[in-house]
Amino acid sequence: GLPGAGLAPGDAKVAGILAESADGGAIVVGAGVNVAWAPEGMGATCLEALVGGGVSRGEVLVESLLALDRLCGQWDLVSNLYRQSCATVGRQVRVRLSDRASDLVGTAVGLDGDGHLVVQTGAGPDGEGELVTVAAGDVSHVRPAPPPSLPSQ
């Protein structure tokens, strides 16, 4: 599948999109928003925690559908908005791909003309690493390790 996430400040996941290919060439897309609850230990939050109060699921649904309606058929605009707001570009990532035995780890350096993620792997023999285009996979941001604590004196 091809996942996507809506990130809140601090990279907390507040929404997600999952696209899976189905028989006959169809693609099934699902979307979810953490309105009042978010799973613990997954780097997630919910809208109610972000705004400090109640959030109407109906209003979230209506506003989301209206926004989608405004973008429908505006593929150049959608592409530009996606490229401008992609929180993954410039980040260290780990990509789980169904056709590879091990995860792909590197830096997300951009998006190609089709919107696929381009990842530069670690330095290879030429010192540059390899550019890998990712059309579909499970992409995670690699969080930097916390600084080591200093011994107390």
Side-chain angles (χ1 to χ4, degrees), residues 29-110:
V29 179
V33 177
N34 300 337
V35 176
W37 176 85
E40 291 186 30
M42 307 234 354
T45 189
C46 66
L47 294 177
E48 288 188 354
L50 289 171
V51 301
V55 174
S56 164
R57 286 178 175 82
E59 285 182 37
V60 170
L61 177 62
V62 167
E63 291 302 319
S64 297
L65 291 173
L66 288 171
L68 283 173
D69 184 58
R70 287 188 297 271
L71 294 172
C72 188
Q74 307 270 348
W75 304 120
D76 287 340
L77 175 59
V78 170
S79 175
N80 288 335
L81 290 170
Y82 174 55
R83 290 169 195 287
Q84 291 171 11
S85 63
C86 183
T88 300
V89 173
R91 303 283 302 267
Q92 290 292 115
V93 295
R94 177 178 310 279
V95 185
R96 178 162 292 138
L97 300 166
S98 61
D99 61 346
R100 288 178 70 126
S102 61
D103 292 350
L104 173 69
V105 178
T107 302
V109 295

